[in-house]
């Protein structure tokens, strides 16, 4: 590997170019957007001039009309949609995690039709979002159920994220040594105690991953929400409808805050995962070495 | 196989397997199965059904009337949109694979330390966690009239006046889609490539294979599960995507998802349902094609 031929060098630099392209395509737009959130200029001019924090102020105080001095600038209150999306995200994450964990534990057994039912549980991630959203909307109308975020909304959001939770738990349980559970039950622990004190603590990283996936997928969900939420406006829906009027620095400041908050959330998860991995898996591995 | 400890409490290991397969899935699986049935299977089946219903004024009337489907299938605009959807899928998939695979290759083969590899890989995956509507919006200041691209071209003297030709068209839409869905490719392909051991590569090199041949004949086939898994997710997300077209694509050239939504928003429910049913068929065909390349069920 040390002696590189010309072909290898070409390969190396070309593939490096592609990696740079990926990183630029992923991060340049986010950085440009963030830089434009620090200006009052409504025309999305890059590089930004007249730097100020006013769009953040407008975002925090949509009721203070005197801040919106630019002709034709749309005033949008994002707090309602944001609260709705946060609430729906948390609820979705919790329900999907509980159902996904229960199903994954059940799928450790063999039973008739196991493979087909496994596939059935994955359907939620395969069905195109728009079809599911339209279907639930039509169903709700047919049975006189009002489509709201806490009825049809929660239903399809969990249907969407549950397969992810299920797969996460399946992957973790595949590596799970069941003798640990057997040992606990032979020592007299009840089924519930085994779950509470043995299975669950070991699955903690999976639970956190499942909650993180459930929350983020629901928080960003648009394809199903477009029709499934009825009159309720989630944050992605509010953002889409705002872009049909005019994209202002207030949108960019909201985008920047959400981007930074999301990345922080993932980083916190990774740090916790790392800590759990050290605590739970390293001692066992060290023992094997003896 | 093993029986549950959770269900039966203490059961001596010697009894294991004696009971054989159970007839019904364990109780714990039922809530999830029921939830998926109610929230996914029934609605999707219902969409196909409503495609046969009739609209009487604003009232949906139960019927088995193939009129909506036949109207859709004989409409050349519809077939144009089908082709446009498939073409966008092909273009985006070709681009994310064409860019994502070499990028993953570089991380796996040319970044020396494992921690550095992990760090770069994290960078390529992290944007998945940022709201996708916001990531679409970020392309407006990139391509807009006074955006980054125009600014750069003006500075370089290539343009004399800012051009509005870069935003609100299918090229802008394609670029935004590529940046959105490339996050699904780099990670899985990297994992495939990094599992190939050095001896395999050395063997290929010593038999006189060029880097290109080694990549094409040895590494890519071994990374195939990752390629297919990433393509699968990109396909599923892409086919349901209407927002990218609305926000940066000009909102005049919808794909099937956008078409169905537009019919729904104008309360033409049977046509919305028929178009959605068509989208479902296309999704199933494309996923089937991907599974012909590699059956992902082998991986679970």
């Amino acid at each position: 590997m040390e002696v590189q031929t010309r072909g290898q060098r070409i390969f190396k630099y070309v593939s490096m170019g592609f990696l740079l392209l990926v990183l630029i395509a992923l991060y340049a737009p986010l950085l440009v957007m963030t830089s434009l959130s620090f200006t009052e200029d409504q025309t999305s001019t890059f590089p930004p001039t007249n730097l100020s924090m006013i769009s953040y102020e407008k975002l925090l105080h949509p009721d203070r009309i005197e801040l919106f001095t630019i002709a034709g600038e749309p005033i949008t209150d994002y707090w309602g949609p944001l609260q709705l999306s946060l609430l729906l995200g948390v609820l979705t994450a919790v329900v999907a995690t509980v159902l996904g964990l229960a199903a994954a534990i059940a799928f450790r057994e063999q039973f008739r039709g196991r493979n087909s039912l496994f596939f059935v549980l994955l359907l939620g991630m395969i069905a195109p979002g728009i079809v599911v959203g339209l279907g639930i909307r039509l169903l709700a109308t047919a049975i006189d159920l009002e489509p709201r975020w806490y009825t049809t909304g929660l239903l399809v959001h969990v249907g969407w994220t549950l397969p992810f939770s299920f797969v996460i738990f399946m992957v973790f349980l595949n590596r799970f040594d069941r003798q640990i559970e057997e040992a606990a039950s032979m020592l007299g622990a009840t089924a519930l105690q085994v779950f509470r004190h043995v299975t669950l603590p070991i699955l903690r990283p999976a639970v956190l991953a499942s909650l993180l996936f459930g929350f983020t997928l629901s928080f960003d969900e648009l394809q199903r929400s477009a029709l499934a939420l009825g009159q309720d406006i989630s944050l992605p829906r509010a953002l889409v409808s705002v872009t049909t009027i005019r994209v202002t620095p207030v949108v960019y400041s909201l985008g920047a805050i959400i981007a930074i908050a999301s990345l922080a959330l993932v980083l916190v998860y990774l740090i916790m995962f790392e800590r759990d991995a050290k605590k739970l898996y390293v001692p066992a591995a060290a023992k094997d070495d003896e | 196989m093993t029986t549950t400890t959770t269900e039966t409490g203490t059961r001596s290991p010697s009894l294991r397997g004696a009971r054989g397969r159970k007839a019904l899935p364990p109780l714990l699986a039922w809530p999830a199965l029921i939830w998926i049935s109610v929230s996914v299977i029934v609605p999707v089946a219902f969409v196909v059904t409503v495609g046969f219903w009739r609209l009487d004024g604003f009232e949906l009337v139960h019927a088995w009337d193939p009129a909506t489907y036949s109207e859709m299938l004989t409409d050349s605009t519809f077939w144009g949109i089908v082709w446009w959807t498939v073409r966008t899928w092909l273009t985006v998939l070709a681009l994310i694979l064409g860019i994502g695979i070499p990028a993953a290759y570089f991380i796996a083969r040319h970044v020396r330390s494992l921690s550095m590899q992990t760090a770069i890989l994290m960078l390529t995956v992290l944007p998945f966690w940022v709201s996708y509507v916001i990531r679409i919006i970020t392309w407006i200041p990139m391509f807009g009239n006074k955006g980054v691209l125009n600014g750069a071209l003006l500075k370089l003297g290539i343009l004399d006046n800012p051009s509005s030709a870069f935003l609100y068209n299918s090229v802008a839409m394609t670029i935004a889609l590529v940046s959105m869905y490339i996050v699904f490719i780099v990670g899985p392909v990297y994992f495939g490539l990094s599992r190939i051991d050095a001896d395999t590569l050395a063997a290929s090199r010593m038999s006189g294979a060029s880097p290109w041949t080694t990549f094409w004949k040895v590494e890519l086939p071994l990374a195939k599960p990752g390629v297919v898994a990433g393509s699968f997710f990109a396909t599923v997300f892409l086919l349901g995507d209407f927002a990218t077209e609305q926000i940066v694509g000009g909102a005049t050239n919808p794909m099937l998802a956008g078409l169905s939504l537009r019919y729904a928003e104008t309360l033409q429910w049977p046509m919305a349902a028929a178009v959605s049913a068509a989208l479902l068929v296309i999704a199933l065909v494309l996923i089937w094609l991907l599974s012909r390349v590699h059956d992902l069920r082998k991986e679970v």
Side-chain angles (χ1 to χ4, degrees):
Chain A
M1 204 66 192
E2 272 63 40
V3 189
Q4 286 188 339
T5 64
R6 191 160 149 267
Q8 278 169 329
R9 270 202 308 279
I10 292 173
F11 232 56
K12 178 177 171 178
Y13 290 116
V14 169
S15 61
M16 182 166 77
F18 280 110
L19 177 63
L20 288 176
L21 188 63
V22 170
L23 292 176
I24 291 170
L26 289 177
Y27 288 95
L30 281 171
L31 293 174
V32 167
M33 173 189 72
T34 307
S35 76
L36 292 181
S37 69
F38 296 108
T39 168
E40 196 176 11
D41 178 24
Q42 303 281 303
T43 55
S44 301
T45 304
F46 188 86
T49 46
N50 300 328
L51 298 186
S52 83
M53 294 292 285
I54 188 152
S55 56
Y56 287 88
E57 233 168 290
K58 289 177 184 171
L59 179 68
L60 290 170
H61 305 287
D63 50 319
R64 282 174 56 195
I65 299 174
E66 75 273 12
L67 291 173
F68 296 80
T69 51
I70 292 156
E73 184 180 3
I75 303 174
T76 316
D77 183 0
Y78 295 100
W79 293 112
L82 179 63
Q83 279 172 6
L84 188 151
S85 285
L86 287 172
L87 200 57
L88 182 55
V90 170
L91 270 176
T92 302
V94 172
V95 176
T97 299
V98 172
L99 296 183
L101 175 57
I105 286 176
F107 271 75
R108 292 200 287 184
E109 310 307 318
Q110 288 298 324
F111 49 84
R112 199 166 299 150
R114 183 178 178 276
N115 289 348
S116 336
L117 288 176
F118 182 86
F119 182 70
V120 165
L121 277 183
L122 298 191
L123 282 177
M125 76 170 56
I126 297 171
I130 195 86
V131 184
V132 174
L134 176 64
I136 206 81
R137 176 66 171 267
L138 291 168
L139 261 182
T141 318
I143 61 168
D144 267 331
L145 174 77
E146 200 191 354
R148 297 297 298 267
W149 69 269
Y150 49 82
T151 56
T152 46
L154 184 64
L155 199 63
V156 292
H157 274 229
V158 172
W160 163 227
T161 64
L162 173 56
F164 291 88
S165 297
F166 174 63
V167 168
I168 289 169
F169 285 118
M170 286 294 281
V171 168
F172 270 77
L173 286 172
N174 263 341
R175 300 189 309 203
F176 189 98
D177 183 359
R178 291 190 72 176
Q179 290 184 358
I180 303 171
E181 285 178 338
E182 283 157 21
S185 67
M186 275 193 274
L187 290 170
T190 64
L192 209 62
Q193 281 172 327
V194 172
F195 178 74
R196 170 77 186 74
H197 296 291
V198 179
T199 317
L200 202 54
I202 296 177
L203 286 179
R204 209 176 84 110
V207 172
L208 289 175
S210 161
L211 290 173
L212 183 71
F213 261 91
F215 176 78
T216 325
L217 288 171
S218 159
F219 189 76
D220 297 345
E221 216 294 319
L222 178 68
Q223 299 182 358
R224 291 155 187 79
S225 306
L227 291 168
L229 293 192
Q231 59 180 17
D232 290 327
I233 304 296
S234 64
L235 193 60
R237 284 187 80 186
L239 283 167
V240 170
S241 68
V242 134
T243 59
T244 58
I245 312 168
R246 189 203 283 178
V247 178
T248 66
V250 180
V251 177
Y252 298 146
S253 59
L254 178 65
I257 290 175
I258 290 178
I260 290 164
S262 320
L263 296 181
L265 188 67
V266 180
L267 285 178
V268 167
Y269 168 74
L270 287 174
I271 291 165
M272 287 170 84
F273 184 86
E274 196 69 11
R275 239 182 33 197
D276 272 1
K278 277 197 187 112
K279 204 166 69 197
L280 286 166
Y281 303 114
V282 172
K287 229 183 193 166
D288 284 347
D289 290 342
E290 278 171 17
Chain B
M1 288 310 266
T2 51
T3 38
T4 33
T5 339
T6 29
E7 273 177 15
T8 51
T10 50
R11 170 172 279 273
S12 95
S14 61
L15 284 178
R16 238 151 249 294
R19 284 205 313 185
R21 287 176 142 208
K22 279 184 232 142
L24 283 174
L27 227 50
L28 283 172
W30 283 99
L33 286 168
I34 292 170
W35 197 294
I36 292 292
S37 308
V38 174
S39 69
V40 181
I41 300 170
V42 175
V44 168
F46 196 58
V47 163
V48 179
T49 314
V50 172
F52 289 102
W53 291 12
R54 263 196 308 266
L55 209 54
D56 189 10
F58 290 111
E59 200 76 29
L60 262 177
V61 187
H62 300 226
W64 282 105
D65 187 351
T68 312
Y69 279 112
S70 64
E71 187 192 330
M72 175 180 85
L73 293 174
T74 50
D75 181 2
S76 62
T77 321
F78 166 76
W79 289 106
I81 290 175
V82 169
W83 170 232
W84 166 232
T85 307
V86 174
R87 213 181 73 187
T88 306
W89 173 75
L90 275 172
T91 315
V92 171
L93 201 63
L95 284 169
I96 58 179
L97 292 175
I99 298 169
I101 293 175
Y105 178 87
F106 182 81
I107 303 175
R109 294 283 174 268
H110 294 295
V111 175
R112 289 287 157 87
S113 78
L114 189 64
S115 55
M116 198 61 195
Q117 289 187 358
T118 314
I120 297 176
L121 193 70
M122 285 320 299
L123 276 179
T124 65
V125 178
L126 274 180
F128 170 72
W129 300 98
V130 177
S131 165
Y132 109 117
V133 177
I134 288 168
R135 289 182 55 217
I136 303 170
I137 292 175
T138 59
W139 286 98
I140 294 177
M142 292 296 284
F143 290 154
N145 242 337
K146 302 195 168 175
V148 176
L149 183 60
N150 261 309
L153 293 177
L154 287 172
K155 257 226 173 84
L156 291 171
I158 297 172
L159 282 182
D160 295 328
N161 294 303
S163 162
S164 55
F166 304 128
L167 193 59
Y168 306 127
N169 57 43
S170 52
V171 177
M173 180 187 86
T174 307
I175 292 173
L177 287 171
V178 166
S179 81
M180 215 65 59
Y181 298 130
I182 199 154
V183 291
F184 296 125
I185 303 295
V186 182
V189 174
Y190 164 83
F191 282 116
L193 289 175
S194 65
R195 275 199 311 228
I196 303 171
D197 64 25
D199 294 343
T200 310
L201 297 176
S204 169
R205 208 169 49 242
M206 282 188 286
S207 344
S210 69
W212 178 249
T213 314
T214 306
F215 173 73
W216 206 240
K217 292 272 161 78
V218 179
E219 301 180 271
L220 196 57
L222 286 168
K224 201 166 69 174
V227 171
V228 174
S231 308
F232 166 80
F233 278 107
T235 302
V236 169
F237 272 80
L238 176 72
L239 288 177
D241 193 310
F242 57 85
T244 313
E245 194 273 327
Q246 273 186 10
I247 297 172
V248 295
T252 50
N253 212 359
M255 293 190 286
L256 277 173
L259 183 68
S260 176
L261 185 66
R262 271 163 229 212
Y263 279 124
E265 280 168 346
T266 51
L267 306 180
Q268 301 180 59
W269 300 111
M271 193 49 107
V275 173
S276 264
L279 175 62
L280 188 68
V281 171
I282 288 170
L284 291 175
V285 169
L286 296 184
I287 288 169
W288 175 78
L289 282 176
L290 285 176
S291 77
R292 296 286 303 208
V293 178
H294 178 82
D295 191 351
L296 282 177
R297 278 175 298 183
K298 281 187 236 158
E299 303 299 311
V300 189

